[in-house]
C-alpha cells in the first residue's frame, strides 16, 4: 500500500511541475503540440527512472561511506549528464528510428531540473531503492500528464480568438496557473488514502 500511496501522490498530489515547480522550462517550451509532449514525456520517464537508480547507488555506496555527502549535487549532475550521453549513444547505434523520434528531447533532459530534483528528493525522503524507483517513475508519469494536458490546452487556444493583450506568453502563463489550480483539487487525496489503508 505504501507504493500505491507514493504512486498516486507523485502523479497527482505533489506533481513535479504543478506543485513543486521543477521542470518548468520543458513544460513551457515543449508543450506546443501533444505529439512532441508525448515524446518528451517518454524520454524523461526513461532517463528519470534510470538516473534515480544510479544516483541512489552513488549516494548509498560511494558518497555516504566515504563521508562525501557535500559532493551530492555535483556528483548527481555529472551522473545525469553522463547517463543522458550514454543513452543517446546507445540509442543511436541500437535503434536509430527511436533516436530520430526523440530528436532534440534527449539532450534537453540533461538540463531538466526535474531529473536532478527527483534524484535529491529520494535521498531527502530516505526512500529505499524500490521506493525510489516507484517515486521516480510516478513522478515521470506526473510530468508527462501535466505536459500532455497543457499541450492539449495550448492546441485548443490556437483555435479561439484571444484578446490582443493576452496573446503569447500571457495566456500561456494564465493557462498554466489554471491547470495548477485544477491539480490542487487532489491535495487531500494522499491524507485520505493514508487513513483508509491505516498508514497514518
Amino acid at each position: 500500500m505504501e507504493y500505491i500511496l507514493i504512486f498516486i501522490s507523485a502523479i497527482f498530489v505533489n506533481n513535479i511541475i504543478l506543485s513543486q515547480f521543477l521542470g518548468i522550462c520543458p513544460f513551457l517550451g515543449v508543450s506546443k503540440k501533444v505529439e512532441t509532449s508525448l515524446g518528451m514525456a517518454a524520454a524523461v520517464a526513461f532517463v528519470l527512472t534510470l538516473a534515480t537508480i544510479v544516483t541512489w547507488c552513488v549516494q548509498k555506496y560511494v558518497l555516504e561511506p566515504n563521508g562525501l555527502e557535500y559532493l551530492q549535487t555535483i556528483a548527481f549532475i555529472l551522473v545525469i549528464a553522463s547517463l543522458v550521453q550514454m543513452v543517446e549513444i546507445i540509442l543511436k547505434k541500437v535503434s536509430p528510428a527511436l533516436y530520430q523520434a526523440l530528436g532534440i528531447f534527449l539532450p534537453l533532459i540533461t538540463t531538466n531540473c526535474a531529473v536532478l530534483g527527483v534524484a535529491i528528493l529520494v535521498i531527502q525522503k530516505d526512500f529505499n531503492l524500490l521506493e525510489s524507483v516507484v517515486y521516480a517513475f510516478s513522478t515521470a508519469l506526473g510530468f508527462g500528464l501535466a505536459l500532455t494536458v497543457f499541450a492539449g490546452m495550448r492546441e485548443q487556444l490556437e483555435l479561439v480568438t484571444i484578446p490582443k493583450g493576452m496573446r503569447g506568453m500571457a495566456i500561456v502563463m494564465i493557462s498554466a496557473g489554471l491547470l495548477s489550480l485544477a491539480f490542487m483539487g487532489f491535495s487531500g487525496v494522499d491524507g485520505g488514502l493514508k487513513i483508509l489503508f491505516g498508514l497514518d
Side-chain angles (χ1 to χ4, degrees), residues 157 160-168 170-171 174:
L157 284 172
V160 296
T161 307
I162 299 165
K164 197 173 181 182
M166 300 276 284
R167 287 177 195 158
I171 194 70
I174 290 167

Side-chain angles (χ1 to χ4, degrees), residues 42-76:
V44 166
F46 179 69
V47 172
L48 189 62
T49 308
L50 201 59
T52 302
I53 294 167
V54 176
T55 53
W56 188 90
C57 292
V58 166
Q59 177 73 21
K60 297 295 178 186
Y61 300 118
V62 178
L63 300 180
E64 284 180 9
N66 297 305
L68 299 170
E69 291 95 334
Y70 59 92
L71 292 174
Q72 183 190 67
T73 307
I74 295 167
F76 284 12

Side-chain angles (χ1 to χ4, degrees), residues 1 10 31 47 114 120 153 156 168 184 194:
M1 287 304 147
S31 61
V47 172
I120 292 171
M153 285 172 71
Q156 288 298 312
M184 279 182 69
K194 279 182 184 175

Side-chain angles (χ1 to χ4, degrees), residues 92-164:
K92 200 172 186 178
K93 290 202 181 279
V94 175
S95 178
L98 183 59
Y99 176 77
Q100 286 293 330
L102 291 174
I104 196 163
F105 299 137
L106 269 175
L108 276 175
I109 295 167
T110 311
T111 57
N112 186 346
C113 59
V115 180
L116 178 63
V118 170
I120 292 171
L121 279 170
V122 295
I123 302 301
Q124 288 176 350
K125 290 174 185 278
D126 201 29
F127 283 157
N128 62 37
L129 185 58
L130 187 56
E131 286 172 339
S132 299
V133 171
V134 170
Y135 181 75
F137 185 70
S138 306
T139 301
L141 287 179
F143 178 89
L145 177 69
L147 199 66
T148 309
V149 169
F150 192 56
M153 285 172 71
R154 287 181 76 174
E155 281 186 0
Q156 288 298 312
L157 284 172
E158 288 177 13
L159 304 175
V160 296
T161 307
I162 299 165
K164 197 173 181 182

Side-chain angles (χ1 to χ4, degrees), residues 7-80:
F7 184 79
I8 292 169
S9 180
I11 295 174
F12 300 107
V13 183
N14 298 316
N15 187 284
I16 197 80
I17 297 173
L18 303 172
S19 295
Q20 299 181 55
F21 308 110
L22 293 170
I24 297 290
C25 296
F27 178 66
L28 295 174
V30 189
S31 61
K32 289 178 183 172
K33 291 186 177 177
V34 172
E35 192 181 336
T36 54
S37 294
L38 289 170
M40 182 64 167
V44 166
F46 179 69
V47 172
L48 189 62
T49 308
L50 201 59
T52 302
I53 294 167
V54 176
T55 53
W56 188 90
C57 292
V58 166
Q59 177 73 21
K60 297 295 178 186
Y61 300 118
V62 178
L63 300 180
E64 284 180 9
N66 297 305
L68 299 170
E69 291 95 334
Y70 59 92
L71 292 174
Q72 183 190 67
T73 307
I74 295 167
F76 284 12
I77 289 170
L78 289 171
V79 166
I80 291 163

